[in-house]
PDB file of all heavy atoms in Angstrom:
ATOM      1  N   GLY A 237     135.307 140.724 139.148  1.00  0.00           N
ATOM      2  CA  GLY A 237     134.401 140.049 140.071  1.00  0.00           C
ATOM      3  C   GLY A 237     132.964 140.513 139.911  1.00  0.00           C
ATOM      4  O   GLY A 237     132.035 139.697 139.929  1.00  0.00           O
ATOM      5  N   GLU A 238     132.773 141.819 139.741  1.00  0.00           N
ATOM      6  CA  GLU A 238     131.427 142.360 139.541  1.00  0.00           C
ATOM      7  C   GLU A 238     130.807 141.819 138.254  1.00  0.00           C
ATOM      8  O   GLU A 238     129.624 141.473 138.214  1.00  0.00           O
ATOM      9  CB  GLU A 238     131.483 143.887 139.496  1.00  0.00           C
ATOM     10  CG  GLU A 238     131.797 144.539 140.831  1.00  0.00           C
ATOM     11  CD  GLU A 238     131.975 146.038 140.719  1.00  0.00           C
ATOM     12  OE1 GLU A 238     131.819 146.578 139.600  1.00  0.00           O
ATOM     13  OE2 GLU A 238     132.275 146.678 141.754  1.00  0.00           O
ATOM     14  N   ASN A 239     131.610 141.741 137.207  1.00  0.00           N
ATOM     15  CA  ASN A 239     131.100 141.234 135.931  1.00  0.00           C
ATOM     16  C   ASN A 239     130.771 139.749 136.008  1.00  0.00           C
ATOM     17  O   ASN A 239     129.808 139.289 135.395  1.00  0.00           O
ATOM     18  CB  ASN A 239     132.108 141.504 134.818  1.00  0.00           C
ATOM     19  CG  ASN A 239     132.180 142.971 134.444  1.00  0.00           C
ATOM     20  OD1 ASN A 239     131.308 143.746 134.804  1.00  0.00           O
ATOM     21  ND2 ASN A 239     133.227 143.356 133.742  1.00  0.00           N
ATOM     22  N   PHE A 240     131.580 138.993 136.739  1.00  0.00           N
ATOM     23  CA  PHE A 240     131.265 137.581 136.948  1.00  0.00           C
ATOM     24  C   PHE A 240     129.900 137.441 137.624  1.00  0.00           C
ATOM     25  O   PHE A 240     129.066 136.627 137.214  1.00  0.00           O
ATOM     26  CB  PHE A 240     132.331 136.920 137.826  1.00  0.00           C
ATOM     27  CG  PHE A 240     133.624 136.621 137.131  1.00  0.00           C
ATOM     28  CD1 PHE A 240     134.754 136.293 137.870  1.00  0.00           C
ATOM     29  CD2 PHE A 240     133.730 136.663 135.748  1.00  0.00           C
ATOM     30  CE1 PHE A 240     135.958 136.008 137.245  1.00  0.00           C
ATOM     31  CE2 PHE A 240     134.930 136.385 135.115  1.00  0.00           C
ATOM     32  CZ  PHE A 240     136.050 136.062 135.862  1.00  0.00           C
ATOM     33  N   ASN A 241     129.688 138.233 138.656  1.00  0.00           N
ATOM     34  CA  ASN A 241     128.412 138.169 139.382  1.00  0.00           C
ATOM     35  C   ASN A 241     127.248 138.526 138.474  1.00  0.00           C
ATOM     36  O   ASN A 241     126.190 137.878 138.513  1.00  0.00           O
ATOM     37  CB  ASN A 241     128.442 139.115 140.584  1.00  0.00           C
ATOM     38  CG  ASN A 241     129.368 138.632 141.682  1.00  0.00           C
ATOM     39  OD1 ASN A 241     129.658 137.438 141.785  1.00  0.00           O
ATOM     40  ND2 ASN A 241     129.851 139.549 142.503  1.00  0.00           N
ATOM     41  N   ARG A 242     127.427 139.562 137.651  1.00  0.00           N
ATOM     42  CA  ARG A 242     126.353 139.976 136.746  1.00  0.00           C
ATOM     43  C   ARG A 242     126.018 138.870 135.755  1.00  0.00           C
ATOM     44  O   ARG A 242     124.841 138.579 135.499  1.00  0.00           O
ATOM     45  CB  ARG A 242     126.751 141.247 135.993  1.00  0.00           C
ATOM     46  CG  ARG A 242     125.672 141.737 135.006  1.00  0.00           C
ATOM     47  CD  ARG A 242     126.180 142.916 134.197  1.00  0.00           C
ATOM     48  NE  ARG A 242     127.362 142.591 133.434  1.00  0.00           N
ATOM     49  CZ  ARG A 242     127.358 141.945 132.290  1.00  0.00           C
ATOM     50  NH1 ARG A 242     126.203 141.501 131.771  1.00  0.00           N
ATOM     51  NH2 ARG A 242     128.472 141.698 131.639  1.00  0.00           N
ATOM     52  N   LYS A 243     127.048 138.274 135.172  1.00  0.00           N
ATOM     53  CA  LYS A 243     126.810 137.221 134.198  1.00  0.00           C
ATOM     54  C   LYS A 243     126.112 136.014 134.840  1.00  0.00           C
ATOM     55  O   LYS A 243     125.244 135.391 134.229  1.00  0.00           O
ATOM     56  CB  LYS A 243     128.126 136.791 133.543  1.00  0.00           C
ATOM     57  CG  LYS A 243     128.658 137.787 132.514  1.00  0.00           C
ATOM     58  CD  LYS A 243     129.960 137.311 131.909  1.00  0.00           C
ATOM     59  CE  LYS A 243     130.484 138.288 130.857  1.00  0.00           C
ATOM     60  NZ  LYS A 243     129.668 138.280 129.628  1.00  0.00           N
ATOM     61  N   GLU A 244     126.509 135.686 136.068  1.00  0.00           N
ATOM     62  CA  GLU A 244     125.869 134.562 136.744  1.00  0.00           C
ATOM     63  C   GLU A 244     124.413 134.861 137.065  1.00  0.00           C
ATOM     64  O   GLU A 244     123.550 133.983 136.973  1.00  0.00           O
ATOM     65  CB  GLU A 244     126.651 134.219 138.020  1.00  0.00           C
ATOM     66  CG  GLU A 244     127.985 133.564 137.729  1.00  0.00           C
ATOM     67  CD  GLU A 244     128.752 133.189 138.980  1.00  0.00           C
ATOM     68  OE1 GLU A 244     128.978 134.076 139.816  1.00  0.00           O
ATOM     69  OE2 GLU A 244     129.132 132.009 139.113  1.00  0.00           O
ATOM     70  N   ILE A 245     124.121 136.116 137.433  1.00  0.00           N
ATOM     71  CA  ILE A 245     122.728 136.516 137.687  1.00  0.00           C
ATOM     72  C   ILE A 245     121.922 136.452 136.401  1.00  0.00           C
ATOM     73  O   ILE A 245     120.798 135.935 136.372  1.00  0.00           O
ATOM     74  CB  ILE A 245     122.684 137.932 138.296  1.00  0.00           C
ATOM     75  CG1 ILE A 245     123.226 137.909 139.721  1.00  0.00           C
ATOM     76  CG2 ILE A 245     121.248 138.471 138.290  1.00  0.00           C
ATOM     77  CD1 ILE A 245     123.419 139.286 140.328  1.00  0.00           C
ATOM     78  N   ASP A 246     122.498 136.971 135.317  1.00  0.00           N
ATOM     79  CA  ASP A 246     121.810 136.934 134.019  1.00  0.00           C
ATOM     80  C   ASP A 246     121.539 135.501 133.590  1.00  0.00           C
ATOM     81  O   ASP A 246     120.468 135.181 133.066  1.00  0.00           O
ATOM     82  CB  ASP A 246     122.653 137.638 132.944  1.00  0.00           C
ATOM     83  CG  ASP A 246     122.679 139.150 133.122  1.00  0.00           C
ATOM     84  OD1 ASP A 246     121.798 139.671 133.831  1.00  0.00           O
ATOM     85  OD2 ASP A 246     123.583 139.797 132.560  1.00  0.00           O
ATOM     86  N   GLN A 247     122.525 134.641 133.801  1.00  0.00           N
ATOM     87  CA  GLN A 247     122.365 133.239 133.434  1.00  0.00           C
ATOM     88  C   GLN A 247     121.247 132.599 134.247  1.00  0.00           C
ATOM     89  O   GLN A 247     120.400 131.884 133.695  1.00  0.00           O
ATOM     90  CB  GLN A 247     123.675 132.490 133.653  1.00  0.00           C
ATOM     91  CG  GLN A 247     123.660 131.049 133.158  1.00  0.00           C
ATOM     92  CD  GLN A 247     124.984 130.347 133.414  1.00  0.00           C
ATOM     93  OE1 GLN A 247     125.207 129.786 134.481  1.00  0.00           O
ATOM     94  NE2 GLN A 247     125.874 130.383 132.439  1.00  0.00           N
ATOM     95  N   ALA A 248     121.226 132.863 135.554  1.00  0.00           N
ATOM     96  CA  ALA A 248     120.189 132.295 136.422  1.00  0.00           C
ATOM     97  C   ALA A 248     118.806 132.779 136.005  1.00  0.00           C
ATOM     98  O   ALA A 248     117.837 132.004 135.982  1.00  0.00           O
ATOM     99  CB  ALA A 248     120.471 132.669 137.872  1.00  0.00           C
ATOM    100  N   GLU A 249     118.696 134.062 135.660  1.00  0.00           N
ATOM    101  CA  GLU A 249     117.404 134.615 135.248  1.00  0.00           C
ATOM    102  C   GLU A 249     116.937 133.984 133.939  1.00  0.00           C
ATOM    103  O   GLU A 249     115.746 133.720 133.755  1.00  0.00           O
ATOM    104  CB  GLU A 249     117.502 136.126 135.093  1.00  0.00           C
ATOM    105  CG  GLU A 249     117.648 136.864 136.418  1.00  0.00           C
ATOM    106  CD  GLU A 249     117.778 138.360 136.240  1.00  0.00           C
ATOM    107  OE1 GLU A 249     117.955 138.809 135.080  1.00  0.00           O
ATOM    108  OE2 GLU A 249     117.706 139.088 137.255  1.00  0.00           O
ATOM    109  N   TYR A 250     117.876 133.751 133.046  1.00  0.00           N
ATOM    110  CA  TYR A 250     117.495 133.152 131.763  1.00  0.00           C
ATOM    111  C   TYR A 250     116.929 131.752 131.956  1.00  0.00           C
ATOM    112  O   TYR A 250     115.872 131.411 131.434  1.00  0.00           O
ATOM    113  CB  TYR A 250     118.698 133.105 130.819  1.00  0.00           C
ATOM    114  CG  TYR A 250     118.342 132.473 129.498  1.00  0.00           C
ATOM    115  CD1 TYR A 250     117.640 133.188 128.539  1.00  0.00           C
ATOM    116  CD2 TYR A 250     118.674 131.155 129.219  1.00  0.00           C
ATOM    117  CE1 TYR A 250     117.272 132.614 127.336  1.00  0.00           C
ATOM    118  CE2 TYR A 250     118.317 130.573 128.014  1.00  0.00           C
ATOM    119  CZ  TYR A 250     117.620 131.308 127.087  1.00  0.00           C
ATOM    120  OH  TYR A 250     117.245 130.731 125.903  1.00  0.00           O
ATOM    121  N   TYR A 251     117.629 130.953 132.730  1.00  0.00           N
ATOM    122  CA  TYR A 251     117.166 129.572 132.905  1.00  0.00           C
ATOM    123  C   TYR A 251     115.934 129.485 133.789  1.00  0.00           C
ATOM    124  O   TYR A 251     115.157 128.537 133.667  1.00  0.00           O
ATOM    125  CB  TYR A 251     118.313 128.699 133.406  1.00  0.00           C
ATOM    126  CG  TYR A 251     119.331 128.519 132.308  1.00  0.00           C
ATOM    127  CD1 TYR A 251     120.545 129.187 132.342  1.00  0.00           C
ATOM    128  CD2 TYR A 251     119.025 127.753 131.187  1.00  0.00           C
ATOM    129  CE1 TYR A 251     121.444 129.076 131.298  1.00  0.00           C
ATOM    130  CE2 TYR A 251     119.917 127.640 130.141  1.00  0.00           C
ATOM    131  CZ  TYR A 251     121.128 128.297 130.202  1.00  0.00           C
ATOM    132  OH  TYR A 251     122.007 128.201 129.155  1.00  0.00           O
ATOM    133  N   GLN A 252     115.733 130.490 134.629  1.00  0.00           N
ATOM    134  CA  GLN A 252     114.487 130.546 135.378  1.00  0.00           C
ATOM    135  C   GLN A 252     113.316 130.786 134.420  1.00  0.00           C
ATOM    136  O   GLN A 252     112.233 130.218 134.592  1.00  0.00           O
ATOM    137  CB  GLN A 252     114.536 131.655 136.430  1.00  0.00           C
ATOM    138  CG  GLN A 252     113.293 131.733 137.298  1.00  0.00           C
ATOM    139  CD  GLN A 252     113.016 130.423 138.016  1.00  0.00           C
ATOM    140  OE1 GLN A 252     113.895 129.896 138.708  1.00  0.00           O
ATOM    141  NE2 GLN A 252     111.820 129.887 137.872  1.00  0.00           N
ATOM    142  N   GLU A 253     113.541 131.605 133.410  1.00  0.00           N
ATOM    143  CA  GLU A 253     112.498 131.847 132.415  1.00  0.00           C
ATOM    144  C   GLU A 253     112.179 130.568 131.648  1.00  0.00           C
ATOM    145  O   GLU A 253     111.012 130.282 131.344  1.00  0.00           O
ATOM    146  CB  GLU A 253     112.944 132.941 131.449  1.00  0.00           C
ATOM    147  CG  GLU A 253     111.843 133.450 130.528  1.00  0.00           C
ATOM    148  CD  GLU A 253     110.718 134.107 131.295  1.00  0.00           C
ATOM    149  OE1 GLU A 253     110.992 134.964 132.146  1.00  0.00           O
ATOM    150  OE2 GLU A 253     109.536 133.732 131.043  1.00  0.00           O
ATOM    151  N   LEU A 254     113.195 129.778 131.351  1.00  0.00           N
ATOM    152  CA  LEU A 254     112.959 128.492 130.690  1.00  0.00           C
ATOM    153  C   LEU A 254     112.180 127.552 131.591  1.00  0.00           C
ATOM    154  O   LEU A 254     111.295 126.828 131.132  1.00  0.00           O
ATOM    155  CB  LEU A 254     114.286 127.851 130.276  1.00  0.00           C
ATOM    156  CG  LEU A 254     114.745 128.116 128.834  1.00  0.00           C
ATOM    157  CD1 LEU A 254     115.020 129.600 128.633  1.00  0.00           C
ATOM    158  CD2 LEU A 254     115.992 127.313 128.495  1.00  0.00           C
ATOM    159  N   ARG A 255     112.510 127.563 132.890  1.00  0.00           N
ATOM    160  CA  ARG A 255     111.757 126.716 133.825  1.00  0.00           C
ATOM    161  C   ARG A 255     110.320 127.195 133.969  1.00  0.00           C
ATOM    162  O   ARG A 255     109.391 126.379 134.105  1.00  0.00           O
ATOM    163  CB  ARG A 255     112.464 126.689 135.190  1.00  0.00           C
ATOM    164  CG  ARG A 255     113.727 125.828 135.210  1.00  0.00           C
ATOM    165  CD  ARG A 255     114.218 125.621 136.631  1.00  0.00           C
ATOM    166  NE  ARG A 255     114.747 126.856 137.195  1.00  0.00           N
ATOM    167  CZ  ARG A 255     116.002 127.267 137.034  1.00  0.00           C
ATOM    168  NH1 ARG A 255     116.854 126.541 136.330  1.00  0.00           N
ATOM    169  NH2 ARG A 255     116.411 128.379 137.594  1.00  0.00           N
ATOM    170  N   ASN A 256     110.138 128.506 133.933  1.00  0.00           N
ATOM    171  CA  ASN A 256     108.771 129.041 133.980  1.00  0.00           C
ATOM    172  C   ASN A 256     107.955 128.535 132.791  1.00  0.00           C
ATOM    173  O   ASN A 256     106.778 128.187 132.928  1.00  0.00           O
ATOM    174  CB  ASN A 256     108.794 130.571 133.967  1.00  0.00           C
ATOM    175  CG  ASN A 256     109.372 131.157 135.235  1.00  0.00           C
ATOM    176  OD1 ASN A 256     109.469 130.473 136.253  1.00  0.00           O
ATOM    177  ND2 ASN A 256     109.759 132.416 135.187  1.00  0.00           N
ATOM    178  N   TYR A 257     108.600 128.510 131.642  1.00  0.00           N
ATOM    179  CA  TYR A 257     107.927 128.035 130.444  1.00  0.00           C
ATOM    180  C   TYR A 257     107.534 126.564 130.586  1.00  0.00           C
ATOM    181  O   TYR A 257     106.412 126.171 130.266  1.00  0.00           O
ATOM    182  CB  TYR A 257     108.845 128.230 129.241  1.00  0.00           C
ATOM    183  CG  TYR A 257     108.372 127.517 127.992  1.00  0.00           C
ATOM    184  CD1 TYR A 257     107.240 127.951 127.302  1.00  0.00           C
ATOM    185  CD2 TYR A 257     109.064 126.410 127.498  1.00  0.00           C
ATOM    186  CE1 TYR A 257     106.800 127.297 126.157  1.00  0.00           C
ATOM    187  CE2 TYR A 257     108.635 125.754 126.370  1.00  0.00           C
ATOM    188  CZ  TYR A 257     107.512 126.204 125.702  1.00  0.00           C
ATOM    189  OH  TYR A 257     107.079 125.545 124.582  1.00  0.00           O
ATOM    190  N   GLU A 258     108.480 125.747 131.083  1.00  0.00           N
ATOM    191  CA  GLU A 258     108.178 124.325 131.268  1.00  0.00           C
ATOM    192  C   GLU A 258     107.052 124.127 132.275  1.00  0.00           C
ATOM    193  O   GLU A 258     106.197 123.252 132.111  1.00  0.00           O
ATOM    194  CB  GLU A 258     109.437 123.580 131.718  1.00  0.00           C
ATOM    195  CG  GLU A 258     110.530 123.496 130.659  1.00  0.00           C
ATOM    196  CD  GLU A 258     110.099 122.735 129.425  1.00  0.00           C
ATOM    197  OE1 GLU A 258     109.290 121.789 129.542  1.00  0.00           O
ATOM    198  OE2 GLU A 258     110.551 123.089 128.320  1.00  0.00           O
ATOM    199  N   ALA A 259     107.045 124.945 133.331  1.00  0.00           N
ATOM    200  CA  ALA A 259     105.973 124.849 134.333  1.00  0.00           C
ATOM    201  C   ALA A 259     104.632 125.227 133.725  1.00  0.00           C
ATOM    202  O   ALA A 259     103.610 124.553 133.953  1.00  0.00           O
ATOM    203  CB  ALA A 259     106.291 125.755 135.519  1.00  0.00           C
ATOM    204  N   ASP A 260     104.614 126.295 132.938  1.00  0.00           N
ATOM    205  CA  ASP A 260     103.369 126.711 132.284  1.00  0.00           C
ATOM    206  C   ASP A 260     102.891 125.655 131.299  1.00  0.00           C
ATOM    207  O   ASP A 260     101.684 125.432 131.149  1.00  0.00           O
ATOM    208  CB  ASP A 260     103.579 128.041 131.553  1.00  0.00           C
ATOM    209  CG  ASP A 260     103.720 129.216 132.502  1.00  0.00           C
ATOM    210  OD1 ASP A 260     103.266 129.091 133.663  1.00  0.00           O
ATOM    211  OD2 ASP A 260     104.280 130.250 132.096  1.00  0.00           O
TER     212      ASP A 260
END
Side-chain angles (χ1 to χ4, degrees):
E238 290 174 2
N239 288 345
F240 284 166
N241 290 336
R242 179 186 59 80
K243 285 180 179 289
E244 288 181 305
I245 290 171
D246 288 342
Q247 186 181 87
E249 289 179 350
Y250 179 77
Y251 290 106
Q252 183 57 54
E253 190 63 49
L254 265 64
R255 285 191 290 274
N256 292 343
Y257 168 70
E258 292 298 328
D260 288 339

